[in-house]
Amino acid sequence: MLRDDDKRWMRRALRLAKKGRGRTSPNPMVGAVLVKDGRVVGEGYHVRAGEVHAEIIAMRKAGDEARGSTLYINLEPCSHYGKTPPCAPALIEAGVKKAVVGMEDPNPLVKGRGLEMLRAAGLDVEVGIFEEACQKLNEAFCKYIQTKEPFVILKIAATLDGKIATQHGESKWITGEDSRRLAHRLRDEADGLLVGIGTILKDDPLLTARIKGGRDPYRIILDSRLRIPEKAKIIDQNLEMTILATTELAPKEKMESLEKRGVRVLILDSVQGRVNLKSLLSRLGEMGMMSLLVEGGSEVNGSFLNEGLIDKIFLFLSPRLLGGQALGIFGGRGTEKLEGALSLNQLKIKKVGEDILLEGYPKKLCSLES
C-alpha cells in the first residue's frame, strides 16, 4: 500500500523529469528528489544527454544533508559508466539511506544492477511506485534501449468520417488552431519527423516546430526515386537536419548533387519499389533517434499500419464531414477480416479546442521482458 508521502514525492520527481521532455534523447527523462525529516533537501532533473544525471544534481544541492535522506526517483539509478559516471555508487557514498524507485531500468546494461548495488550497501529499496506513469513517461526510451529502433508515433488530422483531405487534395486546415499548436509541440518533442514525398511535392513545407522555444526535429522524407525538387524549402534551410530516405532506383547524378549540398541521403533496400520502412527504422536508431513522429499521407500511414510499425497514435478529429471520394486516413491493402483489425489499448479521449483527440497504443506500453 502506497503511503501519502511516497505518492507526494514521486509525483514531484515525475514533474521534474518532464522538464527534460524532448531534450534528453537518447537518454531517459529522470527526476530525483531527496527528502529528509519531511522536507526536500535536494532535487534535480536530467536536462540533456551527456550532462549530469538527476540524482547527482539533487545530491549536490543537498550537500551534507544527503546523508540519511530518502531518494525518490522515477527510474532506477544507473550502475555503469557511460558519458557520465554511475549514480548508484555516488548515492551509497553520500549516505542516502533509502531509495523509492518508480521502475526498473530496461537498459540491459543496468536492468536491476543498480538496485542490487544499493541493497548490497544496506539501503532500503522500494520499486514500482507509480510504475505505469513512469513507464509511459519514458515509453520511447523503453523501446529504443531494447530494440535500437525509434518509438513511432503516428499523428493524424482528420474529419469525423475519417478523411484527411478533400477529393481534390485540400487539407488546410482540417483541424483547429489548438490542435495545430499541440501538433507542433509533438514536433518539438520528437527526434525525427517523417513525411512522404507526396507531402513535399504538394505543400513544399518546412516541417519545423513553430512554437516559442521550439526545437526542430530531423526531417526524414520517404522518396524512393528522389523526386524532390532541388529548390524545395526543406532543402534550402537546415540542410544538416534533412534526411532523404531513398532506394537504388534513385538517379545517381541527383543523389550526388544533393549530397554535395550537405543533404544526408540514405540508400535503403526497397519493397515493391518503396523504401523498406523496417530498414529505415534500424538506420535511424543507429543514428541515435529515439522517437519518430510520422505525419504521412494516406499511403504512408497505410504502410506503417500494414507493417505493424506503429507504437502510438494521436488522432485529431475535427467536427466536420466530407463524405464522397475524399481521401481516407489509411491507404494500402488494409485487412480483409475484422479479426485482423488493429485494436488500440489504453485509449484516451479529450477535447482540444473544437476538436477531439484520441490517443492510444497498438502494442504493450513498455515491456521489460527479454
Side-chain angles (χ1 to χ4, degrees), residues 25 78 124 133 194 205 216 220 255 271 273 298 314-315 321 332:
S25 179
C78 62
D124 181 9
L194 181 144
D216 294 337
I220 301 103
M255 192 183 305
V271 178
S298 180
F314 283 98
L315 173 57
L321 300 169

Side-chain angles (χ1 to χ4, degrees), residues 31-78:
V33 181
L34 284 171
V35 178
K36 188 175 183 179
D37 299 327
R39 62 188 176 88
V40 175
V41 295
E43 63 183 16
Y45 71 96
H46 186 43
V47 177
R48 60 180 59 86
E51 296 194 5
V52 182
H53 288 188
E55 50 269 63
I56 303 299
I57 295 173
M59 284 188 289
R60 287 177 180 175
K61 291 182 177 179
D64 293 340
E65 291 273 51
R67 189 163 298 278
S69 66
T70 296
L71 170 70
Y72 289 87
I73 189 166
N74 59 295
L75 185 71
E76 173 185 359
C78 62

Side-chain angles (χ1 to χ4, degrees), residues 8-288:
R8 175 188 178 188
W9 301 126
M10 185 58 76
R11 286 193 184 102
R12 185 161 177 156
L14 282 165
R15 285 196 300 271
L16 283 167
K18 290 175 184 177
K19 290 185 176 183
R21 191 183 292 278
R23 303 297 183 269
T24 64
S25 179
N27 290 352
M29 291 173 276
V30 182
V33 181
L34 284 171
V35 178
K36 188 175 183 179
D37 299 327
R39 62 188 176 88
V40 175
V41 295
E43 63 183 16
Y45 71 96
H46 186 43
V47 177
R48 60 180 59 86
E51 296 194 5
V52 182
H53 288 188
E55 50 269 63
I56 303 299
I57 295 173
M59 284 188 289
R60 287 177 180 175
K61 291 182 177 179
D64 293 340
E65 291 273 51
R67 189 163 298 278
S69 66
T70 296
L71 170 70
Y72 289 87
I73 189 166
N74 59 295
L75 185 71
E76 173 185 359
C78 62
S79 56
H80 69 293
Y81 280 88
K83 291 185 178 180
T84 59
C87 296
L91 291 166
I92 296 167
E93 184 177 349
V96 174
K97 72 171 184 179
K98 182 177 179 178
V100 180
V101 181
M103 64 176 283
E104 184 181 282
D105 192 335
N107 186 345
L109 295 175
V110 184
K111 204 166 187 182
R113 293 181 181 87
L115 301 175
E116 291 173 6
M117 187 178 292
L118 296 179
R119 290 189 177 108
L123 275 74
D124 181 9
V125 179
E126 293 185 18
V127 186
I129 310 300
F130 291 160
E131 184 175 37
E132 186 174 333
C134 293
Q135 290 178 343
K136 183 171 182 180
L137 177 67
N138 278 309
E139 58 195 7
F141 173 74
C142 282
K143 179 188 178 184
Y144 174 79
I145 203 65
Q146 295 178 96
T147 67
K148 297 305 179 186
E149 292 182 357
F151 185 82
V152 177
I153 303 166
L154 184 65
K155 175 257 167 183
I156 304 159
T159 60
L160 280 179
D161 56 340
K163 308 297 184 181
I164 62 174
T166 68
Q167 59 183 324
H168 300 298
E170 183 184 356
S171 60
K172 294 184 178 179
W173 297 104
I174 282 181
T175 52
E177 186 176 340
D178 291 337
S179 292
R180 297 198 299 276
R181 190 178 300 113
L182 179 51
H184 280 278
R185 175 62 63 188
L186 294 177
R187 289 182 178 184
D188 168 71
E189 296 172 359
D191 294 330
L193 168 62
L194 181 144
V195 300
I197 183 59
T199 296
I200 303 298
L201 296 175
K202 174 178 170 289
D203 299 328
D204 195 20
L206 287 171
L207 302 179
T208 53
R210 295 187 290 278
I211 56 174
K212 185 177 180 180
R215 176 189 62 92
D216 294 337
Y218 280 96
R219 285 78 56 87
I220 301 103
I221 298 97
L222 295 175
D223 188 3
S224 59
R225 297 176 183 270
L226 275 190
R227 293 188 292 148
I228 190 167
E230 296 206 34
K231 292 185 178 180
K233 291 177 183 177
I234 202 165
I235 290 179
D236 282 340
Q237 299 186 33
N238 292 333
L239 287 176
E240 69 280 1
M241 299 295 288
T242 301
I243 299 171
L244 297 179
T246 191
T247 68
E248 69 283 352
L249 301 173
K252 288 184 172 55
E253 298 81 8
K254 188 169 185 179
M255 192 183 305
E256 292 171 357
S257 172
L258 289 167
E259 288 179 329
K260 284 180 181 178
R261 292 177 60 186
V263 180
R264 184 178 303 189
V265 180
L266 299 182
I267 305 173
L268 300 149
D269 54 313
S270 60
V271 178
Q272 296 180 338
R274 297 183 178 183
V275 171
N276 184 323
L277 295 179
K278 185 68 174 173
S279 296
L280 173 60
L281 292 182
S282 295
R283 290 286 292 277
L284 296 180
E286 290 171 3
M287 293 167 58

Side-chain angles (χ1 to χ4, degrees), residues 283-334:
R283 290 286 292 277
L284 296 180
E286 290 171 3
M287 293 167 58
M289 285 194 206
M290 195 165 77
S291 59
L292 179 67
L293 181 65
V294 177
E295 293 188 10
S298 180
E299 291 304 312
V300 171
N301 293 345
S303 294
F304 274 89
L305 175 68
N306 291 336
E307 295 185 37
L309 299 177
I310 303 169
D311 296 300
K312 187 174 186 177
I313 290 178
F314 283 98
L315 173 57
F316 294 87
L317 291 174
S318 73
R320 300 182 181 189
L321 300 169
L322 281 175
Q325 299 300 310
L327 196 62
I329 294 173
F330 293 104
R333 66 178 183 272

